[in-house]
Amino acid sequence: LNLTFEHTIEIPCPTTKMHKAKLGHHLHEKQKNQKNALLLHYMISNYEWNNVDEAITQQPGIVKCMLPNTNTPLHELCSIGSAPAPLVNRVLRCWTGATVTKNRHGETPLHIKCRNSQYSSYIITQLISSSSSSSPSSNKSSNSGNKSLKMQNNSGATPLAVACTSGACLTVIRKLVTAYPEALFTMDVHGRTPIDLLWSTFARTIPGASTINRYLSLNGHGRGVDGEAAQAAEEMDGLLSRFHEKMSLCLICSYALCHGVNGNRSVVGAAVRRAIDGDGNNSDGEVGGDLSSRLCHAIIEQNIKHCPHTLLAIFLTREYTLGCQRDDDGNTPLHLLLTKEEKMSHYENNISTFLEVCGQSASIPNAEYMLPLHIALEQLRLKRKIEGGGDGSTNSNGGNNNNNIQRLSADIIRKIARAYPEAVETRDPKTLFYPFITAGVVGNLALSYEFLLQCPNVILNVMP
């Protein structure tokens, strides 16, 4: 028996009618909001600021509309350099949560504004301080101004990293660093910090590379180890000078965070003010002392990936005495380099830069009265001991242990000895060995023989 139903009888349900009515109203509101969002997007893109202000006044909720490109109205306003600051402030008053809303690229309005803040920092200040102007009813977003400084986009970049790659003005970087200095150590998906990005972005552009080469060539970089060329340094041009100011600020603050600050924002803020004002003295006795003299220390500790020796050359050429400054442990930048355990890009080039631009650093002992030549030979001895003997070229355990220990070549040790010949006839205060003995202990007989030829009289002091 085949039965065919040609008609379906629907029994009307009051609940179904109510849901359909609500759904219809919701769809109508959604279409209306989409239409308003498109209209607002059109007005913003055509710089119709009066109409935008009027639209927000009549319908404050429109600032929460998502535009077709996944931007909010605040994203759009921050992407236009000529957008009026009062209009941005109006949006923030209507919706403080806008500062932590991301678009499809993972960027907040602060990211976008940092990308086009080459001349002014006023709107940046508004975005950072938006939490202080939030109403009591928006407690959930009361920390949005601070949270936006920590947020990373899809590439892992914080607003500070975006500012460093986009040529933002010094005032913008100063405000970002002061508000959240920990961003200096936040890495993107490629493992780069804002300081890495600031340096690589500048050095890899044609104008940046050109002004660096011109500055170093005019000041005789690489023409000796006595530092005389650096003493008569030519002034930096405007482009390099602005970069130097930004990099100095970031380096000083990163150094302040790493050495005894322990999250004390007042100390970091004081370091920022001294960096900007050019006053390196610290009369209040805070941790860090004269931080402006530790710029080369900071470069080494930051472990910059892209050509750090060129960055060191810029700072040493500007002020060669930076290579002779001691930190709180009595170490100069050259001491830090020689004892650095973490792998560093262009390691031997960094040492050569110090010897070429600031040869005096080879004559300065550390807190244990060890000269750089003693430290270098000690590192060779430790390396050979860890690797299990021999000439230090192989590892008895398969080459997997202590791969992060730096390897010094004999040529670098020769350069250190030439920079300060008196070190060859000075005993190591720890072992009481002359350098030629230590060189023989590590198995480098050629280097030991060279030291003896340079100062044969030391053999008399070791004979019974």
Side-chain angles (χ1 to χ4, degrees):
L1 181 64
N2 295 325
L3 299 177
T4 304
F5 295 91
E6 298 181 355
H7 302 284
T8 302
I9 301 175
E10 293 185 1
I11 301 175
C13 177
T15 306
T16 304
K17 289 184 177 181
M18 183 176 64
H19 284 316
K20 286 185 177 181
K22 287 185 177 180
L23 180 60
H25 178 71
H26 175 71
L27 292 175
H28 176 72
E29 289 295 323
K30 185 177 180 180
Q31 292 174 353
K32 182 180 177 181
N33 290 336
Q34 289 177 344
K35 181 179 179 181
N36 290 337
L38 290 172
L39 181 60
L40 186 62
H41 172 69
Y42 174 81
M43 291 188 292
I44 292 175
S45 60
N46 286 276
Y47 313 136
E48 298 177 6
W49 307 127
N50 291 334
N51 293 335
V52 173
D53 184 62
E54 183 178 353
I56 295 175
T57 302
Q58 294 177 356
Q59 191 179 356
I62 199 174
V63 299
K64 298 183 180 181
C65 293
M66 189 71 72
L67 303 177
N69 56 3
T70 71
N71 283 343
T72 65
L74 186 58
H75 284 91
E76 294 288 304
L77 290 172
C78 290
S79 67
I80 300 174
S82 61
L87 193 55
V88 173
N89 196 30
R90 168 70 67 87
V91 174
L92 291 173
R93 287 201 305 269
C94 294
W95 184 33
T96 55
T99 58
V100 293
T101 302
K102 292 184 175 183
N103 60 15
R104 63 185 174 188
H105 304 294
E107 295 193 325
T108 65
L110 186 57
H111 282 98
I112 293 178
K113 191 58 189 174
C114 286
R115 189 170 287 114
N116 62 355
S117 292
Q118 287 76 26
Y119 302 103
S120 174
S121 63
Y122 184 72
I123 293 181
I124 294 287
T125 304
Q126 287 182 298
L127 295 172
I128 293 175
S129 61
S130 62
S131 59
S132 62
S133 61
S134 62
S135 62
S137 62
S138 58
N139 292 331
K140 189 175 181 179
S141 302
S142 60
N143 293 323
S144 60
N146 293 330
K147 185 179 179 182
S148 63
L149 292 163
K150 307 175 185 178
M151 298 181 76
Q152 298 170 266
N153 61 18
N154 295 346
S155 299
T158 60
L160 177 61
V162 173
C164 289
T165 57
S166 304
C169 64
L170 176 64
T171 309
V172 168
I173 294 180
R174 176 187 182 184
K175 290 183 181 297
L176 294 171
V177 171
T178 305
Y180 183 57
E182 291 84 358
L184 288 166
F185 302 104
T186 303
M187 295 184 180
D188 63 10
V189 294
H190 301 291
R192 300 170 299 184
T193 65
I195 292 180
D196 275 318
L197 294 169
L198 177 61
W199 167 235
S200 61
T201 301
F202 181 78
R204 288 174 172 173
T205 61
I206 293 177
S210 177
T211 189
I212 290 171
N213 292 334
R214 180 178 179 276
Y215 179 69
L216 295 180
S217 62
L218 285 178
N219 289 285
H221 174 60
R223 294 192 303 192
V225 296
D226 55 3
E228 293 179 358
Q231 292 179 358
E234 293 285 338
E235 290 295 325
M236 292 180 172
D237 61 19
L239 183 63
L240 186 58
S241 178
R242 288 190 293 274
F243 163 77
H244 183 272
E245 290 176 342
K246 295 182 216 178
M247 181 59 77
S248 298
L249 169 63
C250 293
L251 288 173
I252 288 175
C253 293
S254 69
Y255 191 87
L257 281 175
C258 289
H259 292 268
V261 174
N262 295 326
N264 190 336
R265 296 296 182 85
S266 62
V267 178
V268 178
V272 173
R273 288 192 296 273
R274 288 195 301 274
I276 298 298
D277 298 337
D279 180 13
N281 298 320
N282 190 355
S283 58
D284 54 6
E286 292 286 1
V287 176
D290 186 0
L291 296 180
S292 63
S293 66
R294 312 282 177 84
L295 290 169
C296 288
H297 294 81
I299 293 173
I300 295 169
E301 291 184 358
Q302 275 287 318
N303 207 17
I304 293 172
K305 296 176 172 54
H306 174 66
C307 297
H309 56 285
T310 306
L311 184 61
L312 285 168
I314 294 172
F315 278 87
L316 288 170
T317 302
R318 168 93 179 225
E319 182 54 62
Y320 79 97
T321 58
L322 290 175
C324 303
Q325 300 296 324
R326 301 173 186 263
D327 61 14
D328 295 337
D329 297 323
N331 293 316
T332 66
L334 184 56
H335 296 148
L336 291 182
L337 269 177
L338 293 172
T339 57
K340 189 174 180 63
E341 294 184 356
E342 187 179 1
K343 284 279 187 179
M344 188 174 188
S345 176
H346 302 274
Y347 179 62
E348 293 195 348
N349 287 338
N350 297 326
I351 298 175
S352 297
T353 297
F354 274 103
L355 298 176
E356 292 173 5
V357 185
C358 183
Q360 299 95 316
S361 60
S363 64
I364 301 176
N366 64 7
E368 297 177 337
Y369 304 102
M370 295 179 67
L371 292 168
L373 180 59
H374 299 142
I375 298 173
L377 291 170
E378 175 72 5
Q379 294 302 306
L380 273 184
R381 187 182 69 81
L382 292 175
K383 180 74 174 177
R384 182 173 184 269
K385 182 179 179 180
I386 290 172
E387 292 182 340
D391 60 359
S393 60
T394 60
N395 190 321
S396 60
N397 295 323
N400 295 322
N401 293 335
N402 296 283
N403 289 329
N404 286 333
I405 297 179
Q406 305 285 357
R407 181 184 296 275
L408 286 168
S409 67
D411 289 337
I412 283 294
I413 295 179
R414 291 186 181 95
K415 287 184 179 181
I416 297 174
R418 285 198 299 269
Y420 185 60
E422 289 84 349
V424 176
E425 51 186 299
T426 305
R427 291 179 183 267
D428 186 323
K430 291 176 65 176
T431 63
L432 299 181
F433 288 166
Y434 283 104
F436 84 91
I437 298 179
T438 308
V441 168
V442 300
N444 197 325
L445 299 181
L447 193 60
S448 177
Y449 183 66
E450 289 176 21
F451 287 160
L452 274 176
L453 287 179
Q454 185 174 338
C455 189
N457 294 332
V458 297
I459 197 68
L460 299 177
N461 298 327
V462 297
M463 293 180 63

